[in-house]
Amino acid sequence: MFETAGADVAFLLARVLFGGVLAFMGLNHFTSVEPMVGYAEFKRLPAPKLSVLGSGGLLVFGGLSVITGIIPSVGAGALALFLLASAVTMHDFWNAESEDAQNEMTSFLKNVFGAGGALAFLALAGVAWPYALNIGL
């Protein structure tokens, strides 16, 4: 699967970039709890603090899962579901006005293409990944 010259390194780099950004975003959920809880309340999420902390944990777990290759099907699948759900619930640009609508649409689209990336990693979760621990394939 990764026989093309440099494919193994490119795939590792893709995992580090994708998983690293998502894990970092998850850490931000723990370092910026109150502002994120306020935004979750504004979006009328049930149990806003639990939602912020739970989604932060999911992002850290999923990102590290993709980077390391430890149960990547669970990590990538959870990321895909979360990113799609978050796009619709947190970034509903169709309900926002003017500049807020543009910002929400940008965030919505980032979540959607992030979900696409997660689905690509999920599709490859059944094969051995180069430079990965490959636990739980």
Side-chain angles (χ1 to χ4, degrees):
M1 163 141 282
F2 298 99
E3 295 85 21
T4 306
D8 55 347
V9 174
F11 190 68
L12 172 62
L13 182 59
R15 290 180 8 235
V16 170
L17 291 173
F18 182 81
V21 166
L22 290 169
F24 179 75
M25 288 170 53
L27 290 176
N28 283 337
H29 284 224
F30 296 104
T31 61
S32 301
V33 173
E34 292 312 312
M36 290 194 169
V37 167
Y39 189 66
E41 288 171 342
F42 171 72
K43 291 294 187 171
R44 302 175 201 251
L45 245 57
K49 187 168 188 174
L50 182 61
S51 295
V52 167
L53 296 175
S55 60
L58 185 146
L59 287 165
V60 170
F61 162 75
L64 292 177
S65 171
V66 168
I67 291 170
T68 63
I70 297 174
I71 53 174
S73 57
V74 175
L79 287 170
L81 289 174
F82 167 75
L83 289 167
L84 288 173
S86 175
V88 173
T89 59
M90 299 299 289
H91 305 298
D92 54 341
F93 64 92
W94 51 90
N95 289 325
E97 295 182 19
S98 66
E99 188 176 313
D100 288 339
Q102 183 61 50
N103 291 336
E104 290 295 354
M105 183 166 54
T106 299
S107 294
F108 176 89
L109 293 172
K110 287 178 184 178
N111 278 28
V112 171
F113 84 71
L119 289 171
F121 285 112
L122 178 60
L124 295 172
V127 299
W129 289 0
Y131 308 111
L133 295 175
N134 293 308
I135 297 172
L137 292 176

